[in-house]
Amino acid sequence: MSVGGQKAQWEQGFADTLTAAIRGKAKPVGSLGRLEELALQIGLVTRKPKPVLGAAEVLVFAGDHGLTAEGVTAYPSAVTREIAKLVLAGTAGINICARAAGAGVVLVDAGMIEALPPHASLIDRRIGRGTRNARREPAMTLEECAGALEEGHGLDAYLDEKNAGIVVFGEIGIGNTSAAALVGHVLTGIDLATLVGPGAGLDPAGVAHKLRVLSETVERAAIAIDDPRSRALEALRQFAGFEMVMMVGAMMAAAEARRIVIVDGFIVTAAALAALALAPAARSNFVFAHCSAEPGHRALLDHIGAKPLFDLQMRLGEGTGAALAIPLVRAAELMLREMADLPGQHPK
């Protein structure tokens, strides 16, 4: 038998053993519903029947977008930095949700227009002072895109230091729902009209204007690449923010390190699409936390075939929805490790 065949045989045997262990817990078979599916996923990712995931960490990536010059947002780019300051102060929405879930929070400056002073909860990985206006030219150069991916991959060393087996990815970046819609459209073929929504608060006229601008942006880029990996890289270069590209690199690295990756809303899901195009095996690590109220999110989730854990009509971003999924991941972890078995009963 080939090495690949031996690996597949071992994996199937381990999956069968893990499934039997979950069925044999002190409960009616299937009575914990999606939690049992989550437990199986955690066991398969860690390759341990009694996993110890360690700490939970939230990485909030911040970056500004040149496309905001086209009037596609309800707020100016300066708001990105103001929200980032609140994250560092511990008073932003993500700080509240992370505290409730027992997780740490760190802000990664991937490319805001104006840098922040040094702070204990700030990781400075700035690629540039925001991206270029994607309606007029590519958002970033090939070198900048590659640099953002590399910097994101390198952040896994921070997760090692924190002994973090659970990672939440969040974002801050005025204009990044436009970037996410563009990336999502190119990678899935879903109509822009389905993916373009109000973002941080556009009225119907604003949404219509946003759709026109993004349609022109797609025409300007004229991406005609069939290879999924190359297409993803070009979509990121043409449309994404530095925070999105850096997140893609960090997602890929976290999956390689067998961490549980909790995916937040619309923007993070668009980044996850790109990560999966570049590293399809990462799919087994991804837990999709919730369905955002941003209209296009459901379409992206359906395309991936993802079943979010809950739907609370949230649309703040920052990783808030994903942070609230941490207790569910913890419960599934502890079910594998600490829940009693029914003596002598392991239903098949």
Side-chain angles (χ1 to χ4, degrees):
M1 182 182 293
S2 68
V3 173
Q6 290 176 337
K7 179 182 176 183
Q9 187 178 56
W10 181 89
E11 289 176 344
Q12 184 58 58
F14 180 69
D16 292 343
T17 299
L18 200 58
T19 299
I22 292 169
R23 291 170 64 87
K25 294 294 181 182
K27 58 176 179 56
V29 173
S31 59
L32 285 177
R34 292 287 305 282
L35 204 63
E36 297 188 24
E37 296 177 18
L38 193 54
L40 179 62
Q41 181 181 0
I42 291 168
L44 292 175
V45 166
T46 59
R47 296 190 175 186
K48 295 178 180 178
K50 295 183 181 295
V52 179
L53 291 178
E57 285 289 317
V58 181
L59 300 183
V60 183
F61 294 80
D64 281 308
H65 295 250
L67 191 60
T68 58
E70 301 293 339
V72 295
T73 65
Y75 295 95
S77 289
V79 173
T80 302
R81 189 171 187 271
E82 294 306 309
I83 299 300
K85 287 161 63 176
L86 295 179
V87 173
L88 296 180
T91 56
I94 183 54
N95 303 98
I96 303 308
C97 292
R99 279 201 290 276
V105 179
V106 68
L107 178 77
V108 181
D109 182 356
M112 292 190 292
I113 292 172
E114 186 178 352
L116 290 163
H119 190 283
S121 297
L122 173 65
I123 298 176
D124 186 349
R125 294 292 185 271
R126 294 166 58 77
I127 300 297
R129 298 182 69 249
T131 55
R132 297 166 184 80
N133 183 347
R135 187 184 189 187
R136 312 295 178 181
E137 60 183 319
M140 63 190 76
T141 66
L142 286 169
E143 293 75 18
E144 288 170 336
C145 188
L149 284 170
E150 184 177 354
E151 291 288 357
H153 199 281
L155 287 168
D156 208 64
Y158 169 82
L159 298 175
D160 264 343
E161 292 174 7
K162 294 292 185 178
N163 188 33
I166 302 172
V167 190
V168 164
F169 290 97
E171 43 61 42
I172 304 168
I174 296 300
N176 62 12
T177 59
S178 292
L182 290 163
V183 170
H185 166 69
V186 170
L187 296 188
T188 67
I190 298 170
D191 288 344
L192 269 177
T194 300
L195 297 176
V196 173
L202 287 173
D203 60 18
V207 174
H209 171 73
K210 181 178 177 180
L211 178 58
R212 286 194 297 271
V213 169
L214 299 195
S215 297
E216 293 172 7
T217 304
V218 169
E219 291 175 6
R220 192 272 309 154
I223 297 175
I225 303 171
D226 292 330
D227 174 65
R229 179 182 173 83
S230 298
R231 189 174 182 86
L233 288 171
E234 184 63 5
L236 292 173
R237 182 179 81 91
Q238 291 284 351
F239 308 130
F242 292 131
E243 81 281 14
M244 294 173 65
V245 181
M246 202 170 289
M247 189 188 307
V248 170
M251 284 179 168
M252 293 165 62
E256 291 168 12
R258 299 193 175 280
R259 307 187 203 279
I260 299 299
V261 174
I262 307 184
V263 180
D264 193 45
F266 182 55
I267 294 96
V268 180
T269 300
L273 274 168
L276 292 176
L278 298 172
R283 178 65 177 85
S284 61
N285 299 69
F286 287 4
V287 173
F288 292 84
H290 73 121
C291 184
S292 167
E294 182 69 11
H297 192 207
R298 174 65 70 181
L300 294 185
L301 291 171
D302 288 346
H303 180 87
I304 296 171
K307 297 189 298 181
L309 295 175
F310 52 83
D311 183 348
L312 299 179
Q313 291 297 293
M314 297 175 69
R315 57 182 181 85
L316 175 58
E318 302 177 14
T320 47
L324 294 180
I326 292 171
L328 296 178
V329 172
R330 285 288 189 212
E333 172 196 5
L334 292 173
M335 183 180 75
L336 284 175
R337 199 168 73 238
E338 298 182 6
M339 188 173 180
D341 298 327
L342 285 176
Q345 295 187 38
H346 291 277
K348 297 180 180 179

